[in-house]
Amino acid sequence: MRVGAACDIARAPRQGVTQRTDTTAVRKDLRTADGVRIEARYEPYAGPATGSGTAGDPGAIVLAHGFTGSLDRPAVRRAATAFAAHAAVVTFSFRGHGRSGGRSTVGDREVLDLAAAVAWARAQGHRTVATVGFSMGGSVVLRHAALYRAEYGRGHAESTFDSVMHRGRTDGRTADPASARDAVGAAPPAHAPTPAPAPVPAHADATAHTDADADAVVAVSAPARWYYRGTAPMRRLHWAIQHPLGRLVSRYGLRTRVHHRDWDPVPLPPVAAVPRIAPVPLLVVHGDQDPYFPVDHPLSLAEAAGPEACELWLRPGFGHAENAADAALLDRIGTWTATRLRAPAARPHHGSRDPHAPRAAGSTPGHAPEPAPDATEGTDG
């Protein structure tokens, strides 16, 4: 694992302040449902005018970066620029990354960060929003799509979102040792023990719970199972997030603040999330030269989703995530996503913007359950 210069975490702008960085892009601090401050950036669509099934709305792409990334990293900016030729783009830094608050839970509570970014994209007036995630971000967009299902509303979300609520430590263990050996990505620390779900903090962003579902999903270089250690880069990554010295290296060398507590219980793994995503369009992209996750990961995801619900691209020569994605691949992903966002027969958005949408009895469409505040917010490690 390469270690860069010591981390210099700049002071974030005041909470709730929207800052215009140039004549088009807008930066804003968002608040997640558990009270974590997330830095985000919105860039309008840079392509030609559209006039298809969304009445001129090009839709928006929310880009979820990989572990140790942030919205200002060159690879993320390059991907955002490529996607802006196809739709409006929202980039953000996951908790514990960049200038966002809190500490990384390596794909667990990051679902709440993505939900806040999706809701902000819809607040810009976009009727359709797609999520595109790389590596850790890929696992997050898959779990987010399964947990935030507008057509089922809150009743459905509560049955699955309980996997976001955790207590205590697991130290990489599950109830079934065999499943732990097979089980995704980084062996992941979670947040500090929390009480039962509590109301959203008063300072939470107003969009944190509404309109947070995705209309199309793309997972690039995503893991399928938790705790994978079959490659040398993944063994180094496990050390960086589970060992105290490794977390120091992550903090000061990789500019990523990782929480010291492990998951307990283990969240819904990506391979179990993908069957719940349909009918939302799903694209899985992976390279045959990925040094982190071999091709059995995307094959497992595609098989679990089913051939009618998922499209799989296995790219010869492609390595891992946004750092390895070239202009041609990014453009192709942008084209696929834009086509789904603007399709005249696209899935109508339910929830708060469609009063005629069917809803589960006793549910509030478009809302996810309210997790307890994150105990890491306001801390520095």
Side-chain angles (χ1 to χ4, degrees):
M1 178 178 293
R2 293 180 298 175
V3 178
C7 177
D8 181 14
I9 302 176
R11 183 178 298 275
R14 287 186 303 162
Q15 299 170 1
V17 175
T18 300
Q19 296 187 334
R20 191 169 295 276
T21 57
D22 52 44
T23 58
T24 57
V26 175
R27 294 183 77 122
K28 182 179 181 180
D29 279 356
L30 309 177
R31 281 284 175 177
T32 67
D34 61 342
V36 177
R37 176 186 52 78
I38 300 296
E39 63 168 348
R41 171 178 169 137
Y42 172 81
E43 298 167 72
Y45 173 50
T50 61
S52 58
T54 55
D57 174 19
I61 296 173
V62 177
L63 194 163
H65 62 76
F67 184 65
T68 75
S70 73
L71 67 80
D72 288 321
R73 290 292 175 93
V76 174
R77 296 264 44 89
R78 179 166 52 85
T81 300
F83 293 156
H86 301 275
V89 178
V90 170
T91 50
F92 67 98
S93 298
F94 280 119
R95 61 186 65 201
H97 294 73
R99 293 178 175 86
S100 291
R103 285 176 282 180
S104 175
T105 64
V106 198
D108 180 12
R109 283 209 162 197
E110 281 74 8
V111 170
L112 303 176
D113 308 347
L114 179 60
V118 170
W120 188 46
R122 294 200 187 277
Q124 307 309 303
H126 298 292
R127 181 174 177 271
T128 54
V129 178
T131 55
V132 179
F134 296 86
S135 191
M136 181 189 77
S139 68
V140 173
V141 301
L142 294 174
R143 294 184 57 241
H144 168 270
L147 295 170
Y148 286 81
R149 295 290 301 280
E151 65 267 33
Y152 290 106
R154 184 171 185 159
H156 176 268
E158 283 180 344
S159 67
T160 55
F161 203 85
D162 56 359
S163 61
V164 178
M165 306 304 302
H166 308 298
R167 308 169 189 271
R169 297 176 60 88
T170 184
D171 293 312
R173 293 188 295 270
T174 65
D176 180 0
S179 64
R181 288 194 298 269
D182 293 335
V184 157
H191 50 75
T194 60
V200 182
H203 58 268
D205 189 281
T207 63
H209 283 287
T210 60
D211 300 334
D213 62 302
D215 297 286
V217 180
V218 182
V220 184
S221 305
R225 307 176 305 277
W226 300 135
Y227 307 119
Y228 178 73
R229 293 181 174 85
T231 59
M234 283 307 300
R235 290 190 288 273
R236 291 194 294 268
L237 180 57
H238 277 266
W239 175 82
I241 63 179
Q242 289 189 309
H243 194 280
L245 178 58
R247 289 191 292 273
L248 284 176
V249 171
S250 296
R251 179 185 178 92
Y252 295 106
L254 302 177
R255 303 182 183 184
T256 302
R257 305 177 305 281
V258 181
H259 205 289
H260 66 283
R261 297 212 177 230
D262 294 308
W263 288 345
D264 185 13
V266 177
L268 182 75
V271 73
V274 290
R276 311 183 187 196
I277 295 175
V280 174
L282 171 62
L283 172 64
V284 174
V285 182
H286 212 89
D288 65 357
Q289 299 301 310
D290 192 312
Y292 288 83
F293 306 113
V295 295
D296 65 298
H297 284 261
L299 293 175
S300 297
L301 292 172
E303 181 179 3
E308 295 182 356
C310 175
E311 189 171 341
L312 172 62
W313 295 354
L314 286 178
R315 301 280 295 181
F318 176 44
H320 185 72
E322 62 264 46
N323 290 323
D326 59 20
L329 177 58
L330 293 173
D331 180 70
R332 188 181 176 194
I333 292 172
T335 300
W336 184 96
T337 306
T339 300
R340 272 69 188 173
L341 290 177
R342 300 170 194 165
R347 177 176 66 91
H349 183 80
H350 301 288
S352 61
R353 293 187 306 286
D354 185 359
H356 304 293
R359 63 184 66 184
S363 68
T364 303
H367 287 61
E370 301 168 347
D374 183 3
T376 69
E377 177 62 357
T379 66
D380 58 2

